Amino acid sequence: MTWIALVGADRAFKSWKTTTAAFRWDILSKAADLIEARCAEIARTLTMENGKSLKEASGEIQFCADATRWYAEEAKRAYGRIIPAHAAGIRQLVTKEPVGPALGFAAWNFPAGNVTLKIAAALAAGCSIIVKPSDETPGTAVAIGRCFQDAGVPAGAVNIVFGPPAPISEHLIASPIPRKVSLTGSTPVGKLLQRLASETLKRCTMELGGHAPVIIFEDANIEKALDVLIASKFRNAGQVCTSPTRFYIHENIYERFVAGFVERSSKVVVGNGLDDGTQMGPLITERRLDLMDGYVKDAVDRGAKLALGGYRLNREGYFYAPTVLRDVPDDALIMHEEPFGPIAPMASFSSVDDVIARANSLPFGLAAYLFTTNLATSADVGEALEAGVVGVNHTSVHEAETPFGGVNESGYGAESGMEGLDAYLRTKMIAEKRA
Amino acid sequence: MYAEKLELLIDGVWSQGSAGETSPLFNPADGTEIARVPRYKG
């Protein structure tokens, strides 16, 4: 059976790929304007589905507008090149062309950003796309989709479907029509979709889970590091693939840093994301509360000390207290599994070689952070860390214009940046000889 | 109040999907069901 979304995407691709970059720029620019104009209403929907604060949701929607504008411009720069020929009378042209209809599988933690990056990049490159957003955050995806459609995207160029992930992904990926799969999701799901895509040799972009180490060196500006890391740790209640999740602190500043982190974490305002002043909302599902309890219990059983929190809040909804674990041993579950929650596990280190080895000890490699005032430390450790993105003295590692993606079991390929557009393009060499 | 009308977008048409099947959508801030999500079945 060929599903109608596939037929529509296939037909739309055949005409959309022939449009000029200037035409696509115009439509994407209008979509960006609509996203910006509808920011307040989309943000409210996002907060009601995901739980993050309205401030965070609004920032995510603004990112969507910025990224769509950036891709609108980048559509004009899908440059090829001319290669000097080895014989007279020949021209060797290298061109970029859209890869084909694409499939985008998006996550719930950035339901607007995920969907927008996939749609905008595909359309900019000249591809059509079928998006399968998370069923936990459908309204946000619908609202973003309406912006693109209202901007003039032709029928079939953008499709949005919901439902059980397994049968939908199996049907869509098995079809020969799509030529590209882009996933933002977990590492196990990435491995599954890659296996499915291998049957028809579809190109993939895999933006998967991480477990970001954050290394605080002895010479770090501790107060500034605390400001940055408190905001980053509890952003979206820790449900961020680049969230700092393994804190390694030099032994000479360990007590001071932990005390400062606990003190500031205790002041994080937890509540309904729609309420004024809320800094951290609930987790996405009730099941995640059980996982948080499990991580805390396991760490304490193995010798860690609970410095703050460690419990679900006694109220309606899926709220978990900002939690700090100290003296966490390397064999604790939370030092191996991405917690995706508001827990900060902390441990000390004494030597640079030791902390790099521990930071690189997992199969993941998405984000990593270091805090130092020493340029040599920044350069040496930044190069040594196994990660797709590294933040030095800050954690803002994903912008519209910068490539974002992981290495090793955090995936491959990139979204955003010129690499994000290239992910939806293929290369063709045309050798012309005068007849 | 949750205001978004949940529909599938297929080949330029917004619709409720196949066979009327839906799944619940919960607000994580209070655990209440706020909408039903339509399903795509080809």
Side-chain angles (χ1 to χ4, degrees):
Chain A
M1 180 172 70
T2 302
W3 289 6
I4 53 176
L6 289 164
V7 175
D10 191 36
R11 192 193 62 254
F13 171 68
K14 289 181 171 66
S15 60
W16 183 251
K17 72 176 182 180
T18 66
T19 59
T20 64
F23 182 81
R24 298 196 296 276
W25 171 87
D26 185 50
I27 288 184
L28 286 170
S29 297
K30 288 174 182 170
D33 291 345
L34 288 172
I35 292 170
E36 203 162 54
R38 299 172 185 177
C39 178
E41 61 189 272
I42 302 174
R44 184 176 175 80
T45 294
L46 198 167
T47 292
M48 290 193 72
E49 294 179 336
N50 168 283
K52 69 176 68 174
S53 71
L54 264 180
K55 183 181 176 185
E56 280 187 36
S58 299
E60 183 177 339
I61 304 306
Q62 184 58 54
F63 171 83
C64 294
D66 294 344
T68 302
R69 283 197 187 96
W70 194 87
Y71 273 121
E73 289 293 334
E74 198 65 7
K76 304 173 189 171
R77 289 184 273 275
Y79 301 135
R81 66 189 193 276
I82 299 174
I83 299 175
H86 65 284
I90 292 176
R91 287 201 309 171
Q92 298 178 138
L93 311 177
V94 178
T95 64
K96 296 283 188 179
E97 56 186 32
V99 67
L103 301 174
F105 298 90
W108 49 260
N109 60 338
F110 287 93
N114 277 189
V115 166
T116 299
L117 285 177
K118 295 178 196 314
I119 292 176
L123 292 178
C127 298
S128 57
I129 188 166
I130 301 171
V131 181
K132 164 68 179 76
S134 167
D135 277 20
E136 268 88 21
T137 51
T140 306
V142 165
I144 292 292
R146 291 193 202 282
C147 292
F148 282 94
Q149 196 188 36
D150 293 348
V153 171
V158 173
N159 304 272
I160 298 174
V161 300
F162 301 107
I168 287 181
S169 57
E170 286 169 11
H171 271 285
L172 293 177
I173 296 176
S175 165
I177 292 173
R179 297 310 315 159
K180 166 80 186 179
V181 174
S182 176
L183 166 70
T184 302
S186 70
T187 295
V189 171
K191 291 177 179 179
L192 174 65
L193 296 199
Q194 178 166 304
R195 280 197 292 273
L196 295 171
S198 70
E199 292 296 319
T200 44
L201 285 180
K202 291 176 175 48
R203 281 174 56 183
C204 297
T205 296
M206 294 287 174
E207 201 277 275
L208 309 178
H211 203 333
V214 50
I215 305 171
I216 317 294
F217 286 95
E218 188 177 8
D219 59 10
N221 183 322
I222 294 179
E223 294 305 310
K224 286 184 178 177
L226 287 168
D227 286 342
V228 167
L229 289 167
I230 290 289
S232 185
K233 176 67 250 182
F234 299 113
R235 177 186 180 207
N236 198 12
Q239 302 167 118
V240 179
C241 54
T242 57
S243 181
T245 43
R246 292 178 288 149
F247 289 72
Y248 299 109
I249 302 134
H250 191 275
E251 60 187 1
N252 290 347
I253 57 167
Y254 184 70
E255 294 299 335
R256 182 181 162 200
F257 183 89
V258 172
F261 200 94
V262 168
E263 193 262 336
R264 294 180 192 219
S265 299
S266 68
K267 294 177 181 173
V268 171
V269 178
V270 182
N272 188 319
L274 295 177
D275 295 340
D276 288 342
T278 290
Q279 293 174 298
M280 190 184 95
L283 300 184
I284 187 76
T285 61
E286 190 165 22
R287 190 176 70 87
R288 300 216 58 77
L289 297 174
D290 297 332
L291 288 168
M292 297 305 113
D293 280 340
Y295 287 132
V296 170
K297 182 177 185 306
D298 172 81
V300 171
D301 286 348
R302 294 175 192 268
K305 297 181 181 69
L306 189 58
L308 183 72
Y311 52 87
R312 56 185 77 190
L313 299 182
N314 185 23
R315 63 173 79 166
E316 296 294 323
Y318 315 137
F319 293 93
Y320 204 82
T323 296
V324 181
L325 289 162
R326 56 169 295 163
D327 309 342
V328 182
D330 288 347
D331 66 351
L333 209 53
I334 197 168
M335 298 303 256
H336 295 263
E337 294 183 5
E338 184 180 24
F340 238 57
I343 305 177
M346 303 195 170
S348 64
F349 73 91
S350 56
S351 80
V352 175
D353 289 344
D354 168 58
V355 78
I356 290 174
R358 290 160 76 188
N360 289 342
S361 64
L362 301 186
F364 305 108
L366 183 54
Y369 308 104
L370 61 137
F371 288 76
T372 179
T373 53
N374 185 302
L375 185 59
T377 302
S378 169
D380 292 345
V381 177
E383 289 177 11
L385 289 169
E386 288 278 326
V389 291
V390 176
V392 180
N393 294 325
H394 76 146
T395 56
S396 300
V397 291
H398 188 187
E399 307 293 348
E401 67 276 13
T402 59
F404 176 77
V407 299
N408 303 333
E409 293 199 16
S410 288
Y412 55 86
E415 291 196 299
S416 308
M418 58 189 294
E419 291 84 354
L421 183 72
D422 203 53
Y424 291 86
L425 296 169
R426 64 186 182 190
T427 301
K428 178 179 283 180
M429 198 285 288
I430 301 174
E432 297 177 337
K433 186 176 183 183
R434 291 185 179 82
Chain B
M1 180 180 169
Y2 186 76
E4 196 58 58
K5 184 179 181 184
L6 298 183
E7 293 179 310
L8 312 175
L9 174 59
I10 299 171
D11 203 10
V13 178
W14 293 97
S15 75
Q16 283 297 308
S18 315
E21 291 184 30
T22 61
S23 56
L25 174 66
F26 297 101
N27 181 345
D30 57 19
T32 59
E33 182 178 321
I34 54 175
R36 303 289 301 183
V37 187
R39 289 184 174 191
Y40 179 56
K41 296 189 78 175

